[in-house]
Each structure stands twice: as C-alpha cells, then as structure tokens.
Amino acid sequence: MRSRVAIEGLQRAPHRSLFKALGLDDVDLAKPLIGVANAANTIIPGHQHLGNLAEAVKAGIWEAGGVPVEFGVIGVCDGIAMGHRGMHYSLASRELIADSIEIMAEAHALDGLVLIPNCDKIVPGMLMAAARLDIPAVVVSGGPMLAGRYAGQNVDLNTVFEAVGAVQVGQMSEEELRELEGEACPGCGSCSGMFTANSMNCLSEALGLALPYNGTAPAVSAARLRLAKAAGRKILELLEKDLKPSSILTEQAFINAFTLDMALGGSTNTILHLTAIAKEAGVSFPLEKVDEISGKTPYLASLRPAGPYHVQDLHEAGGIPAVLKELTKLGLIRTDAITVNGPLAAVIQGAKNRNPEVIREPERAWRPQGGLAVLWGNLAPEGAVVKQAAVREEMLRHTGPARVFDSEEQAVEAILGRRIKPGDVVVIRYEGPQGGPGMREMLSPTSALCGMGLDTSVALITDGRFSGATRGAAIGHVSPEAMAGGTIALIQEGDRIEIDIPGRRLNLLVDEAELVRRREKWQKPEPKISRGYLGRYARLVSSAGQGAVFKNLET
C-alpha cells in the first residue's frame, strides 16, 4: 500500500501522531487510506447535496475495511457563470481540479480514491486526475436534477434561457418568465437534460470508472445513496485486485464512451473532455476517429435539448446499461473492456430496455448517425464540432452572409437588438481557449436565437464552445482559433459561409488569394485578460482540437 511510506517505521512516528490527532488509532492506521475527493459546495445546485453522498461513501469504505479521508474540490456552476466574466473560468477550472487532486493524493500517499463530482468541468477534471495518478479509483456523481413542471409541461434550465428570447419578441410576458424561473429547477442535481454534466456522468459508466446507473439515478433518490455506499465498498475491492485506471482507460474504453456519446447525442463539450482524459491516459484519439464512430453509430435516445425526454426518463427506461446493450446488437461496443464492476459484458448482461421510445432499438433509431459531428474545411482545418442531433432539418445545409463579432457580448446585443436576419451566419470569434481566454460557452446567444424563432434560419459559428443545453445550427470549437491566427480571424462582414453538416464541411467562400492578403494584414490582438490564473492559462493552453489541455512544455 502506498500509504505505508507515510505511516510505517520509526521515522514516521511524527506522521502517525498527526494521523492520531484526527482520531485514528493503530488499528485504523493498519488499513488502506482512501481519499474521498468531495466537490460539495452551496453555490452549485448539482453539488449542494454531495456532503450526504460523501457520508455514504465513507460508510462504505469503513464497512469494507478502509479509512476514508475527505478533502474538498472546487467547482464552477456553468449556468451561473454564463454570459459574463465568470464563464472565462469554467473550462480553465478543469485543469486546477485535476492538479489539486493529484497534489492531495501524492502529498498524503493515498492508496485509492473515490471521486464525487457532478457538474460540467468537475467530472472530467476528476477523471483526468484518476488517469494521471493511476491508483485505484471509482467515480460516483451527484446525479441528475428532476425536470421541473410549468403550464403542464416538463421544463428545465434551458427552457428559461430560451424564454428570454421569447420575451424579447413578445411571445412570452415577463410575468410568465418570472413564474417559469421559479419552477424550472426544482431541486438539487445536475441540470436535467443531456447537457454536459449528465453527458459526462453517463460516459463515466462506458469508460469503466463508475458503477451502473451513475449517470442516471436521480440526485434525490435513495438509489443514489445506495450507489455512493457501494462505491465506497468497491474501492477496497479494486485495491485488493490492484485494478488501476491504466487497465480500464484503454482505447476500447474510449471507443465505448464515444459510441455511447453518439447514441445519446451528448454535449459537444464531451469531445473536449474525452480527448483530454485520453491524453492523460496515454491514448491517442484524434477527431477523425471520433467522427468515424459518429458515422456508424445510430442516434437512439433523443433527450433534451434535442428531444422531449429528460435523464429521469432515460433512467426509468433502463439507463446506460440498456443503451449499451442496444448498441451491442450492431457490434459497436467492446464488451470485453474492463470496468470497476468487471467485464462490460457482465455489467450489461441483465439490462432491459423498459421503454423503446426513450431508448430506441437500432432499426428505429432517430437518425442513422450519431448525435455529434466533426466538420472540416478552410474555415476549420483542424476541425469544428456540432450537435447535429439538435439541428433542424432545414439547417443541416446552409449558406449565408457572415455577421462578425469579436466577443459574445457584441453578438448577444445584436441578437436581442433584432439586428440578425434570417439567413445570416453569426460568427463569434476570439473566444477560444487562448482568445477567451477559457473558451466560454455560448448558451446566451444560441438560446436567444431559439427563443426568437431564428434557429430555423440562422447559424452560429464560434471558436468558443456551447453549453450541452444548446440546440440549433451551432458550430463550435473552430480550430485553429482566431487568437492563433485561424481562418476565423480573417472573416469579414458579409463574406459567404457554407455549412454542410451531412457532408462534414465548413468553408469560407472567399478566394484563397484574398485570404492570403488578409492574413498578411492581420495583427494578433492584445489578450483580453493577461493577469492571474487566466493569464497563465491563456499562455499554456492548447487548441480545442487537442482537448484544450496544457501544452507539453517539455517539448
């Protein structure tokens, strides 16, 4: 056990004294030391209840013969950070989360980890740490929020964002919006659609580092507490077997995760995060391979924001095991992949699809291809990402004039000021990993377009990214980004842009000679933020196409 270096021997008497100050005795100190990384706080709705889950995890660890030691982890609520300076810090927090867990585990010689995240960047940050540390680890999330109810309909946070645009065009009153905002988020949990947090919690099952139903059991359910206690017991089993993330996070695991992602129509952010986790695990997974998986994976579960169902419906229908079992019918899942619960084949063996409308069988798939697509062309030579499952049929192919904005705020002002017309292509640049810095999510402009009824005629392209709640012809992660001198920096007002999602193309219809002239005149702008953590982040971060991870400074 790793912890012996901090506990055993004559020279470790001072160390044991400090452990005994915690109330531990010699019997306890002979047991494995298990870190419980708890992201609980009282500002993120998805995290306000994680203290209760941590207690259940610790009970499971004690029961199985280990000693739990709990420490805190930061987190950003993307919904609260949206649309202002705070969103610069969201993606950037992922690296701090991974680093902080590495520090705590290494500094205190922990034998294993139970990771308790729930929301957007916290889940991938913890998974990155598990891959990096390569000590036995299991993830147990806080679970999804239940859908709210308003005017006889299921509603969620995205409903509120889109309602802002509806008020702007007179389709909803401010009084109705006020009523809606009080009903859309009924309690604790990660926002209830297949947004980024729930996407990542579901994908954790396919990656093999979480127990079944980690992604779908509601936050308020007793099943969630039982899952937490089981995770506490499971970590001791993993320690006994010496089963580490390096044996789980293989290429097979990432194929399974991306395949599930396509079947669920998960958030575009999952491509950023799975790519970053793969990099930590030493697995090469380029965007070309992601799109290859999308091309042969049917879209089986149409969840919000693309469809009518919420994560609670997915859970009732059989959860992730049922989705994976449907995908095995096409031979798309590597069932011999190892998980914390044994071979994946054993995990899904007893799964049942209890609602074939929520989880469609492959022959009745919503679409023959996956929910996400990677686009290429002179506007995105290193790729761009779109949630094609959430794009209206008439917008899958679109050509229109560029309306160019150098920040999200400028674009939102133009949209709400009704200066964007049907047929336009809104371009928001200098919002990438470096240019943002921090690659802000663009839910405010996309939801405003949807709320104003423009999602059927207006596209949006950015080197930033989108919330998992985004729908419409919203194309993000354009690489190289504007700050790095990508083609997106050269677009001028009125330029024609061609979008062909089925053809996987994204092109600026400007003569190459003209682009050369523009590039010669282009000057890199001053950073929007040059001090503090974000200043360092902007100097260190790689492109979205590489997962927006820190560059390898050793090369």
Side-chain angles (χ1 to χ4, degrees), residues 149-170:
R149 293 286 292 177
Y150 177 73
Q153 302 291 323
N154 283 346
V155 294
D156 52 49
L157 179 66
N158 195 41
T159 314
V160 186
F161 269 102
E162 293 187 3
V164 174
V167 170
Q168 199 71 22
V169 295

Side-chain angles (χ1 to χ4, degrees), residues 269-318:
N269 285 318
T270 56
I271 293 181
L272 275 179
H273 299 324
L274 287 176
T275 302
I277 297 163
K279 192 173 289 286
E280 291 285 0
V283 174
S284 175
F285 223 98
L287 289 179
E288 291 86 349
K289 183 176 276 189
V290 175
D291 198 54
E292 178 186 333
I293 291 172
S294 177
K296 60 186 178 183
T297 304
Y299 176 43
L300 302 183
S302 187
L303 305 168
R304 287 280 290 159
Y309 301 110
H310 288 85
V311 179
Q312 68 203 59
D313 302 309
L314 178 61
H315 183 67
E316 291 170 9

Side-chain angles (χ1 to χ4, degrees), residues 326-339:
E326 292 292 349
L327 291 167
T328 61
K329 295 177 180 178
L330 300 176
L332 297 176
I333 296 297
R334 274 59 172 177
T335 56
D336 56 343
I338 300 300
T339 77

Side-chain angles (χ1 to χ4, degrees), residues 15-38:
H15 304 60
R16 292 191 295 273
S17 181
L18 290 169
F19 279 116
K20 289 178 179 180
L22 302 173
L24 302 177
D25 58 22
D26 288 332
V27 175
D28 297 325
L29 294 180
K31 300 175 182 177
L33 201 60
I34 306 299
V36 178
N38 183 6

Side-chain angles (χ1 to χ4, degrees), residues 73-74 91-101 533 536 550:
V73 176
I74 66 166
L91 181 61
S93 71
R94 187 187 69 180
E95 316 309 308
L96 282 178
I97 289 163
D99 291 350
S100 65
I101 294 172
Y533 175 61
R536 296 195 301 276
F550 284 157

